[in-house]
């Protein structure tokens, strides 16, 4: 699982996917989210602005990523 460190309360799903290097661009993230290709906590999510907090898991192409607060 890829862990993305954040300093804010949450990170938007599309930004999480970009920072995890699971997509090349914000446009690709938007398209893949809107096409229902992304799972959040095991369920299809089509909201690119979905607030992701530590403990939430995004899955794309069988790969997982999650945000984690900076120590």
């Amino acid at each position: 699982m890829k862990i993305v460190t954040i300093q804010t309360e949450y990170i938007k799903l599309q930004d999480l996917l970009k920072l995890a290097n699971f997509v090349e661009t914000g446009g690709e993230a938007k398209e893949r989210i809107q096409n229902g290709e992304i799972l959040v906590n095991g369920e299809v999510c089509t909201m690119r602005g979905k607030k992701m907090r530590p403990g939430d898991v995004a899955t794309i192409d069988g790969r997982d990523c999650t945000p984690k607060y900076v120590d």
Side-chain angles (χ1 to χ4, degrees):
M1 177 176 307
K2 176 83 173 191
I3 296 175
V4 176
T5 304
I6 61 173
Q7 297 180 358
T8 55
E9 178 185 349
Y10 63 86
I11 185 171
K12 291 181 182 178
L13 175 58
Q14 65 182 13
D15 297 331
L16 177 66
L17 295 174
K18 286 191 308 187
L19 289 174
N21 293 316
F22 286 177
V23 295
E24 295 284 323
T25 64
E28 180 186 353
K30 175 183 173 182
E31 185 175 312
R32 297 197 65 183
I33 292 166
Q34 289 178 337
N35 288 339
E37 298 178 38
I38 312 300
L39 299 178
V40 173
N41 299 327
E43 296 183 12
V44 173
C45 181
T46 56
M47 300 181 306
R48 63 185 180 162
K50 169 81 172 147
K51 295 177 180 176
M52 301 290 292
R53 293 178 170 85
D56 291 330
V57 177
T59 305
I60 181 173
D61 299 332
R63 298 177 295 166
D64 296 331
C65 62
T66 188
K68 177 185 180 229
Y69 293 130
V70 70
D71 292 331

